[in-house]
Amino acid sequence: MIPVQGFSGKTVAVLGLGRSGLAAVAALQAGGAEVVVWDDSPDAETKAADAGVTLTNLTKHGSFKDIATLITSPGIPHLYPEPHPVIARALAEGCPVDNDIGLFFRSFATSEWDEFDSIPKVIAVTGSNGKSTTSALIHHILEHAGRPAQLAGNIGRGVLDLDEAHDGEVIVLELSSYQTDLARALTPDVAVFTNLSPDHLDRHAGLGGYFAAKRRLFAEGGPDRAVIGVDEMEGRYIANQLSEGPSDDRVIRVSAGQKIDGIGWSVFARKGFLSEYRKWRQVGSIDLRAISGLPGVHNHQNACAAYAACRALGIGPRVIEAALISFKGLPHRSQLIAEKVGVRYVNDSKATNVDAAAKALAAFSKVRWICGGLEKEGGLDALLPAPTVVKAYVIGREAAAFAMKLKGLNVEVCGDMATAVAKAGAEAEAGDTVLLAPAAASFDQYDNFERRGDDFAACVAELAD
């Protein structure tokens, strides 16, 4: 646990008693704070009692008179489409609002670090797609290189659940826009931006607000090194703002499709080969094509970002290459579930938006595509014409409406996962890939994308070999 500093003897309010909220309660108490909480769920009283804190209605006038700060969970809206009533009350009464990420950055460093030979580092990863794989890949490379490391944030453990840092340790954090948007402290040593595509637009009042939330990690944090994906204009904009010129190697530009050799430091992948250029000459190269845990151009971008972040810490190219080869990938992200009679079954349930699904489709040839769910803003046109798709099998409560938007494709409305997997499996031929890449949220039929991916895997297991 990371005891929270700066609130000893003060009262702090926590909104939301999910994973991050409960961790915040414990970490604040460990730092000497008096904690009160509010949660909207029916079992809030039980949760509060189990955590040893007082459930307090914080929506009333004057609720924040004696409260030093309000800590909110990332899933709770704090501005758009409208703030939660407790947050609205805190804003009205001038109480600072923060989250567990802000608490982590203000509390991670301690006086004990004065005795360390090597100061701990923090790598923070954000972006629309690939941040989970990139974060896990960085962590995997660090462990392979023998560097002590912990992985947390939007993946794995909550940030305040981390163990206190060891000498020379590296903390890898995956940060969502919900987390970067509100944190009052953001000070990573290395910050990574993978890419940007429309997502969570309701929470950020459009694409501009969504980008601004991501950009805060770089504008507010002032990292020593920034790894920036520049395949979109937003990434090029961030890189330009952080750099003092072409020779400034504090910014490492990353691409999954273009050669970048006219600047101080770059890492890019073309035709399956990763190249590192520094001071206008190539200093490293890796063949990514045969690495089974990193299929497709989108995963090559993830590999470039992870490679660059680890090179910024001084890890050698050959060490990184060996780690990439041994990486098995993450569940629900281009995960090979099975191969039956020459047909591969791949679970990419995490492809919850159009851009992620398009990249997943491009990673395979002859795809039998299982898609559908709770459609996000922006429509499906960016997926088309989807030349690798042999046939689409649409699931979800609004499967018929979703299917109608897949113009030009051979489409069958299936409704549920079991039907879609059974039909795709029966029609697939050797060399085909049955791919779950929904291009939609899961909440119409599942609690989360993990449950959806697990259902896909269970249905595949029922198919005959």
Side-chain angles (χ1 to χ4, degrees):
M1 181 192 302
I2 308 293
V4 173
Q5 301 179 39
F7 293 104
S8 180
K10 300 178 181 179
T11 301
V12 176
V14 173
L15 174 60
L17 291 176
R19 184 188 70 170
S20 66
L22 289 172
V25 167
L28 284 160
Q29 291 174 326
E34 179 71 26
V35 182
V36 297
V37 303
W38 179 252
D39 187 283
D40 296 322
S41 65
D43 58 347
E45 285 193 29
T46 301
K47 287 182 178 180
D50 290 344
V53 289
T54 303
L55 190 68
T56 303
N57 186 345
L58 297 170
T59 62
K60 297 178 180 179
H61 180 74
S63 294
F64 289 90
K65 180 181 178 183
D66 299 315
I67 291 176
T69 194
L70 171 66
I71 305 302
T72 181
S73 296
I76 299 173
H78 58 268
L79 186 57
Y80 301 114
E82 62 181 3
H84 185 281
V86 169
I87 296 177
R89 174 55 55 194
L91 296 176
E93 297 186 9
C95 178
V97 181
D98 203 350
N99 60 18
D100 61 334
I101 303 302
L103 294 182
F104 167 82
F105 277 111
R106 69 180 290 164
S107 305
F108 183 51
T110 68
S111 58
E112 294 178 1
W113 288 22
D114 294 339
E115 306 301 321
F116 289 169
D117 292 327
S118 181
I119 297 298
K121 302 287 187 182
V122 177
I123 299 176
V125 181
T126 196
S128 296
N129 301 308
K131 57 184 179 292
S132 294
T133 297
T134 299
S135 300
L137 190 51
I138 292 169
H139 182 255
H140 177 76
I141 294 168
L142 290 166
E143 289 195 320
H144 181 88
R147 298 283 292 271
Q150 297 184 71
L151 176 65
N154 204 43
I155 184 174
R157 306 162 72 180
V159 292
L160 296 174
D161 273 335
L162 288 168
D163 300 328
E164 294 185 65
H166 296 87
D167 193 338
E169 189 166 37
V170 181
I171 304 299
V172 184
L173 302 181
E174 179 197 339
L175 300 182
S176 72
S177 59
Y178 295 176
Q179 294 168 311
T180 58
D181 195 22
L182 190 60
R184 296 171 73 90
L186 285 168
T187 53
D189 298 281
V190 179
V192 180
F193 177 84
T194 59
N195 50 58
L196 192 88
S197 61
D199 207 355
H200 307 304
L201 300 186
D202 57 333
R203 273 291 297 269
H204 300 292
L207 185 61
Y210 176 54
F211 173 56
K214 299 289 189 185
R215 180 179 170 273
R216 285 192 78 242
L217 182 62
F218 305 88
E220 303 291 333
D224 295 334
R225 278 256 160 69
V227 176
I228 309 294
V230 294
D231 287 333
E232 294 86 28
M233 186 58 70
E234 290 85 356
R236 293 193 285 275
Y237 177 78
I238 293 176
N240 183 271
Q241 286 205 312
L242 296 177
S243 174
E244 293 297 330
S247 62
D248 187 350
D249 66 1
R250 294 173 302 170
V251 178
I252 308 175
R253 291 168 173 83
V254 167
S255 173
Q258 56 181 308
K259 183 178 182 179
I260 313 173
D261 59 357
I263 57 175
W265 201 347
S266 65
V267 180
F268 58 88
R270 295 181 68 201
K271 299 180 179 179
F273 286 88
L274 179 152
S275 297
E276 176 190 4
Y277 274 73
R278 194 164 187 184
K279 296 181 179 179
W280 295 275
R281 66 185 184 88
Q282 187 171 357
V283 296
S285 179
I286 298 174
D287 185 352
L288 300 173
R289 294 173 299 175
I291 299 177
S292 60
L294 296 168
V297 172
H298 61 305
N299 274 311
H300 293 175
Q301 183 184 58
N302 300 334
C304 288
Y307 177 100
C310 292
R311 290 288 288 134
L313 296 183
I315 299 175
R318 298 285 73 84
V319 174
I320 297 174
E321 180 177 15
L324 294 181
I325 291 170
S326 64
F327 184 66
K328 302 301 182 185
L330 288 179
H332 314 294
R333 298 161 177 87
S334 295
Q335 179 190 17
L336 179 62
I337 295 296
E339 187 165 345
K340 298 173 182 279
V341 292
V343 177
R344 291 179 296 177
Y345 293 82
V346 176
N347 169 20
D348 203 337
S349 184
K350 186 61 170 66
T352 59
N353 60 47
V354 166
D355 185 65
K359 289 175 178 176
L361 292 172
F364 305 97
S365 60
K366 297 183 65 180
V367 174
R368 294 190 178 272
W369 177 31
I370 298 176
C371 58
L374 191 62
E375 187 181 343
K376 296 185 177 181
E377 293 183 35
L380 303 175
D381 289 349
L383 282 165
L384 304 175
T388 65
V389 174
V390 177
K391 185 176 179 178
Y393 305 80
V394 185
I395 63 173
R397 292 180 186 172
E398 303 297 329
F402 195 99
M404 289 181 64
K405 298 179 182 180
L406 300 177
K407 296 179 176 62
L409 296 184
N410 181 13
V411 178
E412 182 169 352
V413 174
C414 297
D416 61 79
M417 186 70 72
T419 302
V421 171
K423 290 191 173 182
E427 296 174 358
E429 302 173 349
D432 288 359
T433 298
V434 176
L435 171 67
L436 171 65
S442 60
F443 306 123
D444 59 332
Q445 291 183 312
Y446 301 93
D447 291 341
N448 49 52
F449 73 84
E450 292 95 340
R451 291 281 181 88
R452 179 171 58 191
D454 290 342
D455 191 23
F456 172 75
C459 293
V460 171
E462 292 295 320
L463 298 176
D465 290 318

